[in-house]
mmCIF file of all heavy atoms in Angstrom:
data_model
loop_
_atom_site.group_PDB
_atom_site.id
_atom_site.type_symbol
_atom_site.label_atom_id
_atom_site.label_comp_id
_atom_site.label_asym_id
_atom_site.label_seq_id
_atom_site.Cartn_x
_atom_site.Cartn_y
_atom_site.Cartn_z
ATOM 1 N N GLY A 119 -11.415 -6.592 -8.915
ATOM 2 C CA GLY A 119 -11.194 -5.160 -8.658
ATOM 3 C C GLY A 119 -11.561 -4.218 -9.857
ATOM 4 O O GLY A 119 -11.233 -2.982 -9.776
ATOM 5 N N ALA A 120 -11.864 -4.769 -11.029
ATOM 6 C CA ALA A 120 -12.190 -3.960 -12.118
ATOM 7 C C ALA A 120 -13.515 -3.354 -12.020
ATOM 8 O O ALA A 120 -14.438 -3.749 -11.231
ATOM 9 C CB ALA A 120 -12.264 -4.849 -13.471
ATOM 10 N N THR A 121 -13.741 -2.178 -12.638
ATOM 11 C CA THR A 121 -14.948 -1.481 -12.699
ATOM 12 C C THR A 121 -15.682 -2.174 -13.949
ATOM 13 O O THR A 121 -15.361 -2.209 -15.016
ATOM 14 C CB THR A 121 -14.806 -0.007 -13.057
ATOM 15 O OG1 THR A 121 -14.035 0.602 -12.028
ATOM 16 C CG2 THR A 121 -16.185 0.629 -13.161
ATOM 17 N N VAL A 122 -16.885 -2.780 -13.691
ATOM 18 C CA VAL A 122 -17.761 -3.419 -14.537
ATOM 19 C C VAL A 122 -18.884 -2.581 -15.104
ATOM 20 O O VAL A 122 -19.585 -2.080 -14.205
ATOM 21 C CB VAL A 122 -18.182 -4.724 -13.887
ATOM 22 C CG1 VAL A 122 -19.131 -5.416 -14.952
ATOM 23 C CG2 VAL A 122 -17.059 -5.652 -13.653
ATOM 24 N N LEU A 123 -18.987 -2.446 -16.373
ATOM 25 C CA LEU A 123 -20.062 -1.698 -17.034
ATOM 26 C C LEU A 123 -20.799 -2.696 -17.927
ATOM 27 O O LEU A 123 -20.315 -2.931 -18.952
ATOM 28 C CB LEU A 123 -19.406 -0.482 -17.748
ATOM 29 C CG LEU A 123 -18.669 0.554 -17.011
ATOM 30 C CD1 LEU A 123 -18.207 1.674 -17.916
ATOM 31 C CD2 LEU A 123 -19.498 1.206 -15.860
ATOM 32 N N ALA A 124 -21.879 -3.066 -17.421
ATOM 33 C CA ALA A 124 -22.670 -4.043 -18.248
ATOM 34 C C ALA A 124 -23.410 -3.275 -19.433
ATOM 35 O O ALA A 124 -23.973 -2.170 -19.109
ATOM 36 C CB ALA A 124 -23.679 -4.684 -17.421
ATOM 37 N N ALA A 125 -23.418 -3.758 -20.546
ATOM 38 C CA ALA A 125 -23.941 -3.132 -21.799
ATOM 39 C C ALA A 125 -24.504 -4.254 -22.638
ATOM 40 O O ALA A 125 -23.780 -4.935 -23.261
ATOM 41 C CB ALA A 125 -22.953 -2.182 -22.445
ATOM 42 N N GLU A 126 -25.802 -4.361 -22.722
ATOM 43 C CA GLU A 126 -26.418 -5.446 -23.557
ATOM 44 C C GLU A 126 -26.766 -4.976 -25.051
ATOM 45 O O GLU A 126 -26.989 -5.913 -25.771
ATOM 46 C CB GLU A 126 -27.689 -5.783 -22.836
ATOM 47 C CG GLU A 126 -27.586 -6.217 -21.509
ATOM 48 C CD GLU A 126 -26.701 -7.605 -21.322
ATOM 49 O OE1 GLU A 126 -26.634 -8.349 -22.201
ATOM 50 O OE2 GLU A 126 -26.058 -7.680 -20.276
ATOM 51 N N ASP A 127 -26.647 -3.684 -25.296
ATOM 52 C CA ASP A 127 -26.913 -3.432 -26.548
ATOM 53 C C ASP A 127 -26.065 -2.133 -27.012
ATOM 54 O O ASP A 127 -25.298 -1.558 -26.317
ATOM 55 C CB ASP A 127 -28.387 -2.993 -26.899
ATOM 56 C CG ASP A 127 -29.066 -1.937 -25.935
ATOM 57 O OD1 ASP A 127 -28.248 -0.982 -25.473
ATOM 58 O OD2 ASP A 127 -30.140 -1.917 -25.559
ATOM 59 N N ALA A 128 -26.105 -1.613 -28.207
ATOM 60 C CA ALA A 128 -25.288 -0.643 -28.782
ATOM 61 C C ALA A 128 -25.507 0.773 -28.069
ATOM 62 O O ALA A 128 -24.559 1.357 -27.604
ATOM 63 C CB ALA A 128 -25.647 -0.334 -30.372
ATOM 64 N N GLU A 129 -26.722 1.114 -27.731
ATOM 65 C CA GLU A 129 -26.983 2.317 -26.936
ATOM 66 C C GLU A 129 -26.249 2.166 -25.562
ATOM 67 O O GLU A 129 -25.682 3.245 -25.144
ATOM 68 C CB GLU A 129 -28.483 2.586 -26.848
ATOM 69 C CG GLU A 129 -28.813 3.801 -26.157
ATOM 70 C CD GLU A 129 -30.330 4.099 -26.078
ATOM 71 O OE1 GLU A 129 -31.138 3.331 -26.601
ATOM 72 O OE2 GLU A 129 -30.722 4.907 -25.268
ATOM 73 N N ALA A 130 -26.456 1.079 -24.888
ATOM 74 C CA ALA A 130 -25.919 1.025 -23.583
ATOM 75 C C ALA A 130 -24.411 1.050 -23.627
ATOM 76 O O ALA A 130 -23.699 1.650 -22.757
ATOM 77 C CB ALA A 130 -26.396 -0.173 -22.890
ATOM 78 N N ALA A 131 -23.879 0.409 -24.654
ATOM 79 C CA ALA A 131 -22.308 0.379 -24.825
ATOM 80 C C ALA A 131 -21.842 1.814 -25.102
ATOM 81 O O ALA A 131 -20.817 2.196 -24.518
ATOM 82 C CB ALA A 131 -21.883 -0.536 -25.961
ATOM 83 N N ARG A 132 -22.497 2.575 -25.906
ATOM 84 C CA ARG A 132 -22.000 4.041 -26.208
ATOM 85 C C ARG A 132 -22.188 4.760 -24.992
ATOM 86 O O ARG A 132 -21.395 5.705 -24.639
ATOM 87 C CB ARG A 132 -22.865 4.472 -27.306
ATOM 88 C CG ARG A 132 -22.392 3.938 -28.590
ATOM 89 C CD ARG A 132 -23.024 4.567 -29.839
ATOM 90 N NE ARG A 132 -22.732 3.754 -31.079
ATOM 91 C CZ ARG A 132 -23.791 3.016 -31.651
ATOM 92 N NH1 ARG A 132 -24.936 2.963 -31.114
ATOM 93 N NH2 ARG A 132 -23.366 2.163 -32.623
ATOM 94 N N LYS A 133 -23.268 4.628 -24.126
ATOM 95 C CA LYS A 133 -23.428 5.395 -22.985
ATOM 96 C C LYS A 133 -22.381 4.954 -21.887
ATOM 97 O O LYS A 133 -21.767 5.933 -21.299
ATOM 98 C CB LYS A 133 -24.914 5.040 -22.425
ATOM 99 C CG LYS A 133 -25.169 5.989 -21.160
ATOM 100 C CD LYS A 133 -26.586 5.720 -20.795
ATOM 101 C CE LYS A 133 -26.981 6.585 -19.610
ATOM 102 N NZ LYS A 133 -28.268 6.350 -19.128
ATOM 103 N N ALA A 134 -22.064 3.735 -21.819
ATOM 104 C CA ALA A 134 -20.956 3.366 -20.896
ATOM 105 C C ALA A 134 -19.706 3.960 -21.272
ATOM 106 O O ALA A 134 -18.803 4.335 -20.572
ATOM 107 C CB ALA A 134 -20.850 1.807 -20.834
ATOM 108 N N TRP A 135 -19.307 3.858 -22.632
ATOM 109 C CA TRP A 135 -18.164 4.446 -23.093
ATOM 110 C C TRP A 135 -18.012 5.915 -22.810
ATOM 111 O O TRP A 135 -17.036 6.469 -22.392
ATOM 112 C CB TRP A 135 -17.974 4.200 -24.581
ATOM 113 C CG TRP A 135 -16.678 4.758 -25.161
ATOM 114 C CD1 TRP A 135 -16.461 5.873 -25.815
ATOM 115 C CD2 TRP A 135 -15.419 3.982 -25.278
ATOM 116 N NE1 TRP A 135 -15.129 6.047 -26.151
ATOM 117 C CE2 TRP A 135 -14.497 4.856 -25.894
ATOM 118 C CE3 TRP A 135 -15.003 2.753 -24.733
ATOM 119 C CZ2 TRP A 135 -13.228 4.425 -25.927
ATOM 120 C CZ3 TRP A 135 -13.708 2.338 -24.927
ATOM 121 C CH2 TRP A 135 -12.800 3.210 -25.646
ATOM 122 N N ALA A 136 -19.095 6.652 -23.038
ATOM 123 C CA ALA A 136 -19.075 8.108 -22.839
ATOM 124 C C ALA A 136 -19.036 8.382 -21.373
ATOM 125 O O ALA A 136 -18.477 9.541 -20.976
ATOM 126 C CB ALA A 136 -20.429 8.684 -23.305
ATOM 127 N N SER A 137 -19.213 7.475 -20.405
ATOM 128 C CA SER A 137 -19.150 7.780 -19.014
ATOM 129 C C SER A 137 -17.645 7.536 -18.498
ATOM 130 O O SER A 137 -17.419 7.876 -17.337
ATOM 131 C CB SER A 137 -20.089 6.846 -18.189
ATOM 132 O OG SER A 137 -19.542 5.431 -18.188
ATOM 133 N N LEU A 138 -16.787 6.976 -19.361
ATOM 134 C CA LEU A 138 -15.500 6.694 -18.801
ATOM 135 C C LEU A 138 -14.809 8.162 -18.508
ATOM 136 O O LEU A 138 -14.825 9.021 -19.142
ATOM 137 C CB LEU A 138 -14.651 6.116 -19.872
ATOM 138 C CG LEU A 138 -15.128 4.808 -20.383
ATOM 139 C CD1 LEU A 138 -14.284 4.146 -21.469
ATOM 140 C CD2 LEU A 138 -15.163 3.628 -19.209
ATOM 141 N N ASP A 139 -14.121 8.042 -17.322
ATOM 142 C CA ASP A 139 -13.503 9.291 -16.829
ATOM 143 C C ASP A 139 -11.992 9.228 -17.106
ATOM 144 O O ASP A 139 -11.409 8.272 -17.665
ATOM 145 C CB ASP A 139 -13.816 9.646 -15.378
ATOM 146 C CG ASP A 139 -13.294 8.615 -14.441
ATOM 147 O OD1 ASP A 139 -12.281 7.905 -14.793
ATOM 148 O OD2 ASP A 139 -13.956 8.542 -13.323
ATOM 149 N N SER A 140 -11.266 10.313 -16.791
ATOM 150 C CA SER A 140 -9.826 10.432 -17.086
ATOM 151 C C SER A 140 -8.961 9.451 -16.210
ATOM 152 O O SER A 140 -7.754 9.333 -16.516
ATOM 153 C CB SER A 140 -9.405 11.908 -16.809
ATOM 154 O OG SER A 140 -9.618 12.314 -15.444
ATOM 155 N N GLU A 141 -9.600 8.767 -15.250
ATOM 156 C CA GLU A 141 -8.812 7.853 -14.399
ATOM 157 C C GLU A 141 -8.705 6.554 -15.001
ATOM 158 O O GLU A 141 -7.857 5.692 -14.595
ATOM 159 C CB GLU A 141 -9.436 7.728 -13.003
ATOM 160 C CG GLU A 141 -9.438 9.003 -12.188
ATOM 161 C CD GLU A 141 -8.009 9.343 -11.828
ATOM 162 O OE1 GLU A 141 -7.166 8.493 -11.497
ATOM 163 O OE2 GLU A 141 -7.733 10.492 -11.947
ATOM 164 N N VAL A 142 -9.531 6.242 -16.073
ATOM 165 C CA VAL A 142 -9.395 4.913 -16.777
ATOM 166 C C VAL A 142 -8.202 4.869 -17.612
ATOM 167 O O VAL A 142 -7.892 5.733 -18.384
ATOM 168 C CB VAL A 142 -10.736 4.784 -17.799
ATOM 169 C CG1 VAL A 142 -10.711 3.491 -18.516
ATOM 170 C CG2 VAL A 142 -11.901 4.874 -16.876
ATOM 171 N N ALA A 143 -7.510 3.734 -17.479
ATOM 172 C CA ALA A 143 -6.189 3.396 -18.273
ATOM 173 C C ALA A 143 -6.410 2.214 -19.168
ATOM 174 O O ALA A 143 -5.791 2.319 -20.210
ATOM 175 C CB ALA A 143 -5.190 3.020 -17.195
ATOM 176 N N VAL A 144 -7.230 1.236 -18.833
ATOM 177 C CA VAL A 144 -7.536 0.084 -19.636
ATOM 178 C C VAL A 144 -8.980 -0.261 -19.727
ATOM 179 O O VAL A 144 -9.579 -0.133 -18.697
ATOM 180 C CB VAL A 144 -6.688 -1.062 -19.064
ATOM 181 C CG1 VAL A 144 -6.879 -2.394 -19.887
ATOM 182 C CG2 VAL A 144 -5.246 -0.849 -18.850
ATOM 183 N N VAL A 145 -9.321 -0.570 -20.982
ATOM 184 C CA VAL A 145 -10.711 -0.960 -21.160
ATOM 185 C C VAL A 145 -10.646 -2.484 -21.769
ATOM 186 O O VAL A 145 -10.175 -2.558 -22.967
ATOM 187 C CB VAL A 145 -11.482 -0.067 -21.987
ATOM 188 C CG1 VAL A 145 -12.941 -0.559 -22.143
ATOM 189 C CG2 VAL A 145 -11.554 1.348 -21.419
ATOM 190 N N LEU A 146 -11.269 -3.420 -21.026
ATOM 191 C CA LEU A 146 -11.294 -4.747 -21.695
ATOM 192 C C LEU A 146 -12.769 -4.948 -21.989
ATOM 193 O O LEU A 146 -13.677 -4.533 -21.255
ATOM 194 C CB LEU A 146 -10.936 -5.826 -20.644
ATOM 195 C CG LEU A 146 -11.149 -7.246 -20.915
ATOM 196 C CD1 LEU A 146 -10.265 -7.571 -22.060
ATOM 197 C CD2 LEU A 146 -10.843 -8.037 -19.732
ATOM 198 N N MET A 147 -13.089 -5.288 -23.212
ATOM 199 C CA MET A 147 -14.518 -5.456 -23.679
ATOM 200 C C MET A 147 -14.803 -6.741 -24.425
ATOM 201 O O MET A 147 -14.003 -7.458 -24.873
ATOM 202 C CB MET A 147 -14.893 -4.229 -24.484
ATOM 203 C CG MET A 147 -14.198 -4.165 -25.797
ATOM 204 S SD MET A 147 -14.369 -2.600 -26.556
ATOM 205 C CE MET A 147 -13.073 -1.552 -25.622
ATOM 206 N N SER A 148 -16.094 -7.104 -24.334
ATOM 207 C CA SER A 148 -16.579 -8.162 -25.084
ATOM 208 C C SER A 148 -16.450 -7.891 -26.594
ATOM 209 O O SER A 148 -16.445 -6.722 -27.094
ATOM 210 C CB SER A 148 -17.880 -8.566 -24.700
ATOM 211 O OG SER A 148 -18.956 -7.565 -25.284
ATOM 212 N N ALA A 149 -16.538 -8.962 -27.423
ATOM 213 C CA ALA A 149 -16.410 -8.759 -28.914
ATOM 214 C C ALA A 149 -17.636 -8.028 -29.358
ATOM 215 O O ALA A 149 -17.497 -7.175 -30.253
ATOM 216 C CB ALA A 149 -16.282 -10.117 -29.463
ATOM 217 N N ARG A 150 -18.831 -8.339 -28.737
ATOM 218 C CA ARG A 150 -19.963 -7.665 -29.212
ATOM 219 C C ARG A 150 -19.885 -6.194 -28.867
ATOM 220 O O ARG A 150 -20.245 -5.318 -29.695
ATOM 221 C CB ARG A 150 -21.145 -8.257 -28.459
ATOM 222 C CG ARG A 150 -22.554 -7.758 -28.995
ATOM 223 C CD ARG A 150 -23.684 -8.639 -28.499
ATOM 224 N NE ARG A 150 -24.899 -8.168 -28.950
ATOM 225 C CZ ARG A 150 -26.045 -8.073 -28.316
ATOM 226 N NH1 ARG A 150 -26.126 -8.584 -27.027
ATOM 227 N NH2 ARG A 150 -27.153 -7.786 -28.857
ATOM 228 N N ALA A 151 -19.452 -5.795 -27.730
ATOM 229 C CA ALA A 151 -19.371 -4.358 -27.302
ATOM 230 C C ALA A 151 -18.339 -3.729 -28.213
ATOM 231 O O ALA A 151 -18.602 -2.459 -28.686
ATOM 232 C CB ALA A 151 -19.021 -4.263 -25.859
ATOM 233 N N SER A 152 -17.286 -4.373 -28.542
ATOM 234 C CA SER A 152 -16.262 -3.636 -29.501
ATOM 235 C C SER A 152 -16.824 -3.445 -30.774
ATOM 236 O O SER A 152 -16.424 -2.449 -31.471
ATOM 237 C CB SER A 152 -15.001 -4.506 -29.469
ATOM 238 O OG SER A 152 -15.260 -5.735 -30.324
ATOM 239 N N GLY A 153 -17.675 -4.190 -31.264
ATOM 240 C CA GLY A 153 -18.464 -4.049 -32.499
ATOM 241 C C GLY A 153 -19.241 -2.807 -32.471
ATOM 242 O O GLY A 153 -19.325 -2.033 -33.440
ATOM 243 N N PHE A 154 -19.958 -2.734 -31.270
ATOM 244 C CA PHE A 154 -20.889 -1.549 -31.152
ATOM 245 C C PHE A 154 -20.043 -0.175 -31.081
ATOM 246 O O PHE A 154 -20.473 0.759 -31.317
ATOM 247 C CB PHE A 154 -21.626 -1.566 -29.932
ATOM 248 C CG PHE A 154 -22.637 -2.715 -29.773
ATOM 249 C CD1 PHE A 154 -22.907 -3.408 -28.609
ATOM 250 C CD2 PHE A 154 -23.340 -3.158 -30.972
ATOM 251 C CE1 PHE A 154 -23.822 -4.293 -28.482
ATOM 252 C CE2 PHE A 154 -24.303 -4.145 -30.856
ATOM 253 C CZ PHE A 154 -24.518 -4.813 -29.725
ATOM 254 N N LEU A 155 -18.754 -0.319 -30.682
ATOM 255 C CA LEU A 155 -17.949 0.929 -30.361
ATOM 256 C C LEU A 155 -16.807 1.065 -31.403
ATOM 257 O O LEU A 155 -15.897 1.734 -31.062
ATOM 258 C CB LEU A 155 -17.341 0.732 -28.986
ATOM 259 C CG LEU A 155 -18.361 0.776 -27.860
ATOM 260 C CD1 LEU A 155 -17.614 0.430 -26.519
ATOM 261 C CD2 LEU A 155 -19.020 2.095 -27.705
ATOM 262 N N ALA A 156 -16.971 0.541 -32.714
ATOM 263 C CA ALA A 156 -15.906 0.639 -33.623
ATOM 264 C C ALA A 156 -15.459 2.043 -33.870
ATOM 265 O O ALA A 156 -14.178 2.322 -33.959
ATOM 266 C CB ALA A 156 -16.380 -0.094 -34.959
ATOM 267 N N ALA A 157 -16.336 2.931 -34.097
ATOM 268 C CA ALA A 157 -15.951 4.331 -34.260
ATOM 269 C C ALA A 157 -15.284 4.899 -33.147
ATOM 270 O O ALA A 157 -14.214 5.627 -33.171
ATOM 271 C CB ALA A 157 -17.265 5.151 -34.556
ATOM 272 N N GLU A 158 -15.614 4.630 -31.895
ATOM 273 C CA GLU A 158 -14.994 5.239 -30.709
ATOM 274 C C GLU A 158 -13.681 4.735 -30.519
ATOM 275 O O GLU A 158 -12.791 5.398 -30.089
ATOM 276 C CB GLU A 158 -15.899 4.976 -29.384
ATOM 277 C CG GLU A 158 -17.227 5.743 -29.445
ATOM 278 C CD GLU A 158 -18.351 5.144 -30.187
ATOM 279 O OE1 GLU A 158 -18.067 4.195 -30.943
ATOM 280 O OE2 GLU A 158 -19.496 5.620 -29.908
ATOM 281 N N LEU A 159 -13.503 3.423 -30.840
ATOM 282 C CA LEU A 159 -12.237 2.613 -30.648
ATOM 283 C C LEU A 159 -11.139 3.194 -31.657
ATOM 284 O O LEU A 159 -9.935 3.168 -31.412
ATOM 285 C CB LEU A 159 -12.370 1.178 -30.762
ATOM 286 C CG LEU A 159 -13.208 0.549 -29.647
ATOM 287 C CD1 LEU A 159 -13.443 -0.939 -29.928
ATOM 288 C CD2 LEU A 159 -12.521 0.760 -28.351
ATOM 289 N N ALA A 160 -11.693 3.568 -32.916
ATOM 290 C CA ALA A 160 -10.803 4.086 -33.928
ATOM 291 C C ALA A 160 -10.220 5.418 -33.454
ATOM 292 O O ALA A 160 -9.034 5.800 -34.017
ATOM 293 C CB ALA A 160 -11.478 4.235 -35.166
ATOM 294 N N ASP A 161 -10.772 6.097 -32.459
ATOM 295 C CA ASP A 161 -10.338 7.446 -32.172
ATOM 296 C C ASP A 161 -10.072 7.609 -30.694
ATOM 297 O O ASP A 161 -10.589 8.438 -30.014
ATOM 298 C CB ASP A 161 -11.380 8.469 -32.568
ATOM 299 C CG ASP A 161 -10.813 9.888 -32.408
ATOM 300 O OD1 ASP A 161 -9.805 10.180 -32.654
ATOM 301 O OD2 ASP A 161 -11.737 10.724 -32.073
ATOM 302 N N THR A 162 -9.334 6.608 -30.083
ATOM 303 C CA THR A 162 -8.994 6.645 -28.623
ATOM 304 C C THR A 162 -7.523 6.474 -28.359
ATOM 305 O O THR A 162 -6.942 5.865 -29.013
ATOM 306 C CB THR A 162 -9.807 5.595 -27.858
ATOM 307 O OG1 THR A 162 -9.760 5.795 -26.317
ATOM 308 C CG2 THR A 162 -9.485 4.170 -28.106
#
């Protein structure tokens, strides 16, 4: 039942992150995606 956002590279991961809406409560991510989103994760 999770919303799945596939992101194979940094650009796709950032685009997926930017698409998150106010209804999102939890984001589970791959280790690779978390590396791409380090700056965003520091400020969420």
Side-chain angles (χ1 to χ4, degrees):
T121 299
V122 172
L123 300 176
E126 303 296 331
D127 57 31
E129 182 179 347
R132 289 187 192 102
K133 186 175 180 178
W135 183 265
S137 76
L138 299 178
D139 62 30
S140 62
E141 295 298 313
V142 175
V144 177
V145 181
L146 176 63
M147 66 193 74
S148 68
R150 188 170 181 216
S152 72
F154 294 147
L155 297 169
E158 290 83 349
L159 294 173
D161 188 37
T162 188

